[in-house]
Amino acid sequence: MYDPTDPRAALPTSAARPAVPADAPIAAPAYTEFDGPPQTDDATSGRTWVVRGQNFVVALSRLRTGQVLERTAQEHEYVVLLTSDDAHVDVAYGDDTHEVRGTAMIVVPAGHSQVSARADTQVIRLFDHRTADIAALAANAADYAEPHVRVTPLAPWPAPVGGDRLRIYRPDEVPAEPGRFGRIYRTRSFMVNFLDPLDGPRPRNKLSPHHHDDFQQCSLAVSGQFEHHIRTPWTTDMDQWRPDEHRVLGSPSVAVIPPPAVHTTRACGAGRNRLIDIFSPPRTDFSAREGWVLNAADYPAPEEVTAP
């Protein structure tokens, strides 16, 4: 399934959930390039595009200097991603304010918060599906009028150690380490993996076709170009069959890959290609690998998820 040099080759193989019938519908892959009309556009909070999966919502905003993204009655923590070296914002939660420059992942607790642009900046926020007002804005909201039966529902993981506060992580300051896969962080609802950037195309003989039994993968392209290769397995219902897909997307873009589709993604841009993988809830297999989750001391895993 993986190239022998891929750290994921050591992951255990899990069995499909027995409660899901073998002929349960398999959702179609979904692709979004953030280049059409935004879902919201105003002088205060800039332009925002919104797309969702079963458990997660991605909101990408393009802010001018001085514009502000505000959450006044946010019920659950959310994530802010800054994905370029020239990003520059203030993030405020209660009486706590941090100036943040460059690539970062910021966990913002429930309650009143603001993200204010100090320069023209792209800001990506991750909410779980319980943030109903943002989820309702999604361009593909109708696709989730009914839950996708093959996706495990979100059950939030344990609360952070030391209580709620702004937490700022700097993936680009973490050196690569042999045997570790990317730079992984988790929250109560998310796992975010900043994959190593690649200059130029990924070798055609080093791909990693694989599938997930019961969770979606959200692949967020933040620079470069990627080709997503996706194969929908056959069920006993021939009307559910789909041809293989080979979709090229630029950046920024999102590909939502459903279970149990076989998939692999190849960087194909001539310059710097960078992908961020997002999962909700956090993955237990990645969490069980010693040293893979960089903020495990802040966000503990459930007791049943242990390192081998």
Side-chain angles (χ1 to χ4, degrees):
M1 185 163 65
Y2 296 109
D3 182 271
T5 62
D6 191 313
R8 292 171 294 175
L11 293 174
T13 302
S14 61
R17 291 182 298 153
V20 178
D23 62 349
I26 298 173
Y31 313 96
T32 300
E33 291 190 284
F34 298 99
D35 55 2
Q39 275 62 64
T40 64
D41 186 352
D42 63 66
T44 301
S45 58
R47 296 180 297 157
T48 297
W49 290 257
V50 185
V51 65
R52 67 166 295 181
Q54 178 68 56
N55 298 325
F56 62 85
V57 184
V58 179
L60 182 146
S61 299
R62 295 189 175 114
L63 305 181
R64 296 292 188 185
T65 303
Q67 291 182 322
V68 179
L69 299 169
E70 184 173 28
R71 298 298 295 169
T72 58
Q74 177 66 27
E75 295 184 0
H76 310 284
E77 70 177 13
Y78 66 98
V79 172
V80 173
L81 300 178
L82 304 178
T83 60
S84 64
D85 292 340
D86 58 0
H88 191 188
V89 301
D90 286 333
V91 182
Y93 168 70
D95 296 329
D96 191 13
T97 300
H98 291 264
E99 180 182 355
V100 185
R101 293 176 179 265
T103 302
M105 171 174 158
I106 306 155
V107 185
V108 184
H112 184 203
S113 60
Q114 292 181 324
V115 180
S116 307
R118 283 185 168 238
D120 291 358
T121 298
Q122 177 176 282
V123 175
I124 299 168
R125 291 173 296 166
L126 309 179
F127 300 92
D128 71 48
H129 68 93
R130 296 173 297 174
T131 302
D133 64 318
I134 302 292
L137 294 173
N140 63 338
D143 294 343
Y144 294 90
E146 296 294 334
H148 291 202
V149 296
R150 288 184 176 269
V151 179
T152 297
L154 171 64
W157 282 30
V161 174
D164 289 330
R165 59 178 176 83
L166 289 174
R167 288 178 165 83
I168 301 170
Y169 303 108
R170 297 288 194 172
D172 286 354
E173 295 178 2
V174 179
E177 182 178 305
R180 191 187 68 217
F181 184 55
R183 293 158 178 85
I184 300 173
Y185 301 90
R186 69 177 174 233
T187 71
R188 300 197 69 192
S189 297
F190 289 101
M191 175 168 281
V192 180
N193 188 4
F194 292 78
L195 298 171
D196 295 333
L198 185 66
D199 291 318
R202 183 180 181 181
R204 294 173 58 88
N205 63 343
K206 294 290 185 180
L207 300 184
S208 56
H210 62 285
H211 78 281
H212 309 302
D213 290 324
D214 59 2
F215 59 86
Q216 289 174 319
Q217 176 170 314
C218 175
S219 289
L220 169 66
V222 296
S223 65
Q225 189 176 60
F226 293 86
E227 186 170 18
H228 301 280
H229 304 276
I230 301 177
R231 171 170 291 178
T232 300
W234 291 353
T235 69
T236 55
D237 183 353
M238 189 174 180
D239 290 337
Q240 296 180 9
W241 296 3
R242 295 187 183 91
D244 291 353
E245 297 191 22
H246 308 278
R247 181 69 67 91
V248 176
L249 299 179
S251 57
S253 65
V254 158
V256 178
I257 303 165
V262 178
H263 61 279
T264 189
T265 296
R266 178 176 178 263
C268 56
R272 171 61 57 101
N273 299 284
R274 186 161 203 180
L275 200 67
I276 299 174
D277 282 342
I278 300 161
F279 307 96
S280 179
R283 290 180 59 159
T284 58
D285 56 350
F286 284 7
S287 294
R289 301 297 296 179
E290 185 69 34
W292 276 30
V293 178
L294 300 176
N295 67 337
D298 291 342
Y299 280 88
E303 291 184 1
E304 62 270 20
V305 180
T306 57

